[in-house]
Amino acid sequence: MSTHPSSLNNPYGDGKVIDACSIFGVMDRSGACFSGDDAIAAIASMHDRGNGLGGGFAVYGCYPEFKDWYALHVMYMEGGVREDVEGYIDGHFHLRLAEEVPTRRTSRITDPPQVWRYFVSREGGGEPGESDDDYVVRQVMRINTSFKSAFVFSSGKNMGVFKGVGYPEEIAEFFCLDEYRGYIWTAHGRFPTNTPGWWGGAHPFNILDWTVVHNGEISSYGINRRYLEAHGYQCTMETDTEVMAYALDLLLRRHGLPIELAATVLAAPLWSAIERNGSPEAALQRTLRQVYASLLMNGPFTIIIAHAGEMVGLTDRIRLRPLTAATLGPRLYLSSEESAIRLVAPQVERVWTPLGGQPVMGRLAEAACWNAGDVA
Amino acid sequence: MKSYLASRFVIDRNQDRCIHCRVCVRQCGFDVHSYDVEEDEIVSSESRCVGCHRCVLFCPTGALTVRSNPLSYRANANWHPEAIEDVLKQAETGGVLLTGMGNDKPYRIYWDHLVLNASQVTNPPIDPLREPMELKTFLGAKPERVEIDPATGALVTPMPPQVAIEVPILFSAMSFGSISLQVQESLARAAGQAGTLFNTGEGGLHRSLYRHADHAVVQVASGRFGVDAGYLEAGRMVEIKIGQGAKPGIGGHLPGEKVSVEVAATRMIPPGTDALSPAPHHDIYSIEDLAQLIFALKEATGYTKPVGVKIAAVHNVAAIASGIVRAGADYIAIDGLRGSTGAAPKVMRDHVGIPIELALAAVDTRLRQEGIRHRVSIIAAGGIRCSADVLKAIALGADAVYVATAALVALGCHLCQMCYTGKCSWGIATQNPYLSRRVNPDIGARRLTNLLRGWSHEIQEMLGGMGVNALESLRGNRLHLRAVGLNEHEMRVLGVRPAGE
């Protein structure tokens, strides 16, 4: 069997991977880091929304001692390939530290891959004018498409993705996530219908420090994918989440749009609403929708997007998948189900259901940004 | 010369029902029926019958039946009746055989081998009666990206001219001359009511239709008929016509007898003269010349409206389309093998060009490969019969479609293919005022808006079934198509997977 990501993740060659799930996110907007206990308990409480074929977490602020280094998390599905990949990494990056990601033997996680992490920086290579981020993206894509049975699934600074096949609480136990601290935790429990489950196919999906956890099936997937492919992305995973992540990368990083406008692209307002809107903003919305028509994510979805200092919840424009938001002091909660929030924060101050297509944003205060990730 | 051709049709008149009212005599544009006063009898000259059913439908007592002549040639898979009859016609006339409407040969109709998707369980279908379902489409070039001033948040990117249409269906080019003024007025009014556009064809815009010009695509063809500053100024979009699916590689010929005073005034030529459109534009012998004409028209219209190019679907259509994009066109209309005409040599209509489905898929794929798909809208034409065809075209990559035959059928056309004679009994393809007044623009516009409304509802139902609520989410989304009964090469060109996979 080929071990190319698409064949692992989509073994029957369906148009794409179909799945549903539970999602949860919690952020401390003051930048204070906290343990994963709440996120793990909350996602575990939505156990029935997954089927044990994928669980995962993103933790922001978890590598304060290496915060200026890209942390590459790499899974090796077969022995032997690690030497090749490490040779490649060594040849293309300045390597600060390589270590095996600590794991715990648990009875319910079977046949895990080897998971290693590498703290790296760019080593002056790359094409003229290429930014460090672009360079890292290119190398990650290169590794993921050219090395059989190796997969980079996390590549940001001072953050990490931990994911695999199993229920999310089992994955947390496996990766010893109770020992990590972060100021944003996002979590995902997966219910795929056409994949046996593959470690790389679990959520969160990541590129640089951007992560997406996603509940939904994007009916516009075909055109979203074709559009992104025309912009140089290789959709090796054949999932909705992947196109969501690449779309955000294109809009936010490459086209420099603020996240509010990126949300306007993914869950565009109706034409009738744009026409009713007499403000100058209407022209901007119209232009965005005309130019990025192929990035409208049509069909049911809820996503939690995170990157350094920011966590955003968004549903499709007619809210076909659930999202509940809540606040308690500096904490912002986003969840598929309200019960998961109330489980870990019974005294929440405000709980609400966001309107379809309207992002819920959590942002670090300006001052806190500088300290993001420093252990509070 | 004695003709060796048998009648195509047999007319049965039920004498018990016939009341000698002579409706059939008056309705037939081809003088099939005549009244013999002395015998008080109506006789039918079957050899002239074109099978358009006008008399059948208007006979108040249902006395008439028209059927194919059962004349049986000796069976021959090679020398089928049409081949024999075409030889006979040419032996008797020595001319090029003319015909009208689109290719009627049994080339594979790819629409009928493509099926659409629907949502079940893992994603919900959307009910268009309860949820918004957006068909609005913007034609025109788009910038590659949107740029925002980081300081002010203001939009920096200039937007090229866009034309909004409420349904992704435009009425294709049909000139005043090939069709009657009443038919063009029906199309113009329906386009206005439905929020879409009609296309003047290459015959200019009659002064009475200038009030509908905001819904007009004004065509600039090789004959330059009816083109002046006011015409370009008036239209919503400007279209350079390079080719037509029914007759790729040749021009047009409106015979002088159809050039009435009004047609002449609209085309800006003397009445009664032949209106000849040359095969090439005499100022376009290559792509750089096309670029000059595109920009001449943009200059003339102050860069306020999209300027597009219409081509026939031919073998290298993808490369040609790519060149047209780079030459600065804001949209490309591609007219396929089954596109219609008011008059064309039969041999051209039936043997030149490629099916629109393949051409459309090839062009969309190529423009995406080259990263220039956003720089044009694509309008697919030639062989769109129903709302499912429209949606399949959009899934293959079209922004919108042109329809002409379907619009004429809505007005009564029965596809007798005799447009070039100017005798159309349905009053559509004729300048004879006795015939053309049969199309009442009030009723014509209503029939056409009904058609567009019906198709729109069907498109909304199908889109909702696929789980999307905006047309743009289906555009180029070939995963929502599957092929039934196509070979691997065809599926590769179409970019679709076989059903069941």
Side-chain angles (χ1 to χ4, degrees), chain B residues 85-231:
Chain B
E85 287 166 14
D86 283 353
V87 167
L88 289 172
K89 281 179 198 166
Q90 292 194 292
E92 289 165 18
T93 63
V96 170
L97 296 176
L98 289 181
T99 188
M101 301 313 289
N103 195 320
D104 60 4
K105 296 294 171 286
Y107 291 101
R108 174 163 279 178
I109 298 170
Y110 289 92
W111 306 132
D112 296 338
H113 292 266
L114 294 170
V115 289
L116 291 161
N117 193 25
S119 300
Q120 300 287 293
V121 185
T122 54
N123 56 352
I126 303 170
D127 184 347
L129 297 176
R130 298 159 63 106
E131 303 281 354
M133 193 58 66
E134 300 186 301
L135 304 186
K136 200 184 193 76
T137 298
F138 289 86
L139 301 176
K142 312 289 188 292
E144 190 184 2
R145 55 172 289 193
V146 174
E147 231 174 308
I148 306 289
D149 183 332
T152 63
L155 178 64
V156 176
T157 314
M159 198 65 185
Q162 301 291 309
V163 171
I165 51 176
E166 300 300 326
V167 293
I169 305 158
L170 299 85
F171 295 127
S172 195
M174 288 175 275
S175 69
F176 172 42
S178 72
I179 56 170
S180 69
L181 189 59
Q182 288 89 335
V183 171
Q184 207 174 57
E185 185 181 343
S186 302
L187 293 163
R189 285 164 58 176
Q193 286 162 22
T196 183
L197 306 175
F198 76 106
N199 187 314
T200 62
E202 54 181 293
L205 187 63
H206 189 265
R207 61 185 182 283
S208 70
L209 296 183
Y210 266 74
R211 64 178 184 275
H212 303 293
D214 203 34
H215 298 284
V217 180
V218 294
Q219 217 178 44
V220 175
S222 62
R224 296 290 195 276
F225 297 120
V227 178
D228 66 6
Y231 171 77

Side-chain angles (χ1 to χ4, degrees), chain A residues 113-127:
Chain A
Q114 277 186 50
V115 184
W116 280 67
R117 62 189 166 204
Y118 306 90
F119 294 95
V120 301
S121 65
R122 178 183 175 180
E123 198 185 39
E127 291 156 8

Side-chain angles (χ1 to χ4, degrees), chain B residues 325-337:
Chain B
V325 178
R326 295 175 196 284
D330 296 305
Y331 75 89
I332 302 179
I334 311 163
D335 195 10
L337 176 69

Side-chain angles (χ1 to χ4, degrees), chain A residues 13-15 18 217 219-223 226 255 257 270-271 275 284 287 289-292 298 300 317 321, chain B residues 122-124 134 136 138 143 145-146 148 155 159 364 467-470 472-473 475-480 497:
Chain A
D14 290 331
I18 297 170
E217 181 179 340
S219 306
S220 54
Y221 173 82
I223 186 57
R226 286 186 85 201
H255 290 183
L257 295 180
L270 297 171
W271 287 118
E275 277 152 22
L284 179 55
T287 304
R289 194 164 169 194
Q290 287 170 338
V291 173
Y292 296 113
N298 211 319
R317 58 208 199 124
R321 286 283 156 91
Chain B
T122 54
N123 56 352
E134 300 186 301
K136 200 184 193 76
F138 289 86
R145 55 172 289 193
V146 174
I148 306 289
L155 178 64
M159 198 65 185
D364 179 69
V468 299
N469 59 6
E472 63 231 50
S473 296
R475 182 166 305 121
N477 192 344
R478 300 182 189 173
L479 278 182
H480 278 299
R497 309 174 65 167

Side-chain angles (χ1 to χ4, degrees), chain A residues 43-353:
Chain A
I43 200 77
S45 77
M46 295 188 282
H47 179 93
D48 287 355
R49 297 182 69 92
N51 65 358
L53 290 180
F57 297 81
V59 193
Y60 287 79
C62 61
Y63 296 135
E65 61 274 35
F66 297 109
K67 66 183 180 185
D68 297 324
W69 300 74
Y70 292 96
L72 305 183
H73 290 193
V74 186
M75 54 177 73
Y76 299 106
M77 274 70 75
E78 288 167 9
V81 69
R82 185 160 65 85
E83 287 69 28
D84 297 341
V85 173
E86 289 184 346
Y88 185 88
I89 289 174
D90 213 24
H92 292 80
F93 292 101
H94 175 55
L95 179 63
R96 167 79 192 277
L97 175 70
E99 64 178 3
E100 188 163 7
V101 175
T103 54
R104 205 177 266 147
R105 281 168 174 275
T106 80
S107 58
R108 287 175 295 185
I109 299 293
T110 52
D111 198 20
Q114 277 186 50
V115 184
W116 280 67
R117 62 189 166 204
Y118 306 90
F119 294 95
V120 301
S121 65
R122 178 183 175 180
E123 198 185 39
E127 291 156 8
E130 194 177 32
S131 71
D132 287 358
D133 281 353
D134 285 340
Y135 180 78
V136 172
V137 171
R138 193 158 59 81
Q139 298 303 342
V140 169
M141 297 251 172
R142 182 93 173 270
I143 294 169
N144 285 350
T145 52
S146 48
F147 287 95
K148 287 176 104 182
S149 67
F151 189 70
V152 182
F153 64 100
S154 185
S155 53
K157 290 179 180 172
N158 197 14
M159 59 78 65
V161 168
F162 303 88
K163 64 182 186 180
V165 174
Y167 284 100
E169 59 272 24
E170 296 164 358
I171 295 298
E173 191 187 355
F174 175 76
F175 279 114
C176 314
L177 292 186
D178 44 299
E179 294 171 10
Y180 290 78
R181 295 173 69 81
Y183 64 95
I184 297 174
W185 287 78
T186 65
H188 188 266
R190 188 173 182 218
F191 194 140
T193 58
N194 63 342
T195 167
W198 169 60
W199 280 64
H203 297 206
F205 199 87
N206 162 276
I207 190 77
L208 298 173
D209 70 349
W210 290 92
T211 58
V212 182
V213 289
H214 169 234
N215 171 20
E217 181 179 340
I218 306 301
S219 306
S220 54
Y221 173 82
I223 186 57
N224 305 142
R225 176 178 176 163
R226 286 186 85 201
Y227 181 85
L228 290 165
E229 284 174 344
H231 285 80
Y233 293 91
Q234 292 168 3
C235 296
T236 52
M237 307 277 291
E238 301 179 354
T239 69
D240 296 336
T241 316
E242 178 183 52
V243 301
M244 193 74 88
Y246 290 155
L248 287 163
D249 183 65
L250 179 77
L251 295 170
L252 299 168
R253 191 173 60 81
R254 283 172 57 184
H255 290 183
L257 295 180
I259 197 153
E260 295 89 334
L261 295 183
T264 298
V265 169
L266 302 184
L270 297 171
W271 287 118
S272 57
I274 294 173
E275 277 152 22
R276 271 200 308 275
N277 183 348
S279 74
E281 191 195 344
L284 179 55
Q285 288 180 343
R286 185 180 304 112
T287 304
L288 283 170
R289 194 164 169 194
Q290 287 170 338
V291 173
Y292 296 113
S294 300
L295 284 183
L296 171 62
M297 298 290 157
N298 211 319
F301 76 80
T302 301
I303 50 173
I304 300 175
I305 310 159
H307 74 122
E310 203 163 49
M311 179 177 81
V312 184
L314 179 70
T315 67
D316 64 272
R317 58 208 199 124
I318 58 173
R319 204 160 51 76
L320 294 167
R321 286 283 156 91
L323 179 66
T324 300
T327 54
L328 174 61
R331 296 268 173 103
L332 170 69
Y333 297 90
L334 297 168
S335 177
S336 296
E337 295 181 11
E338 186 177 332
S339 58
I341 300 175
R342 292 201 178 270
L343 176 73
V344 297
Q347 310 84 19
V348 283
E349 289 152 2
R350 184 172 165 236
V351 182
W352 75 101
T353 302

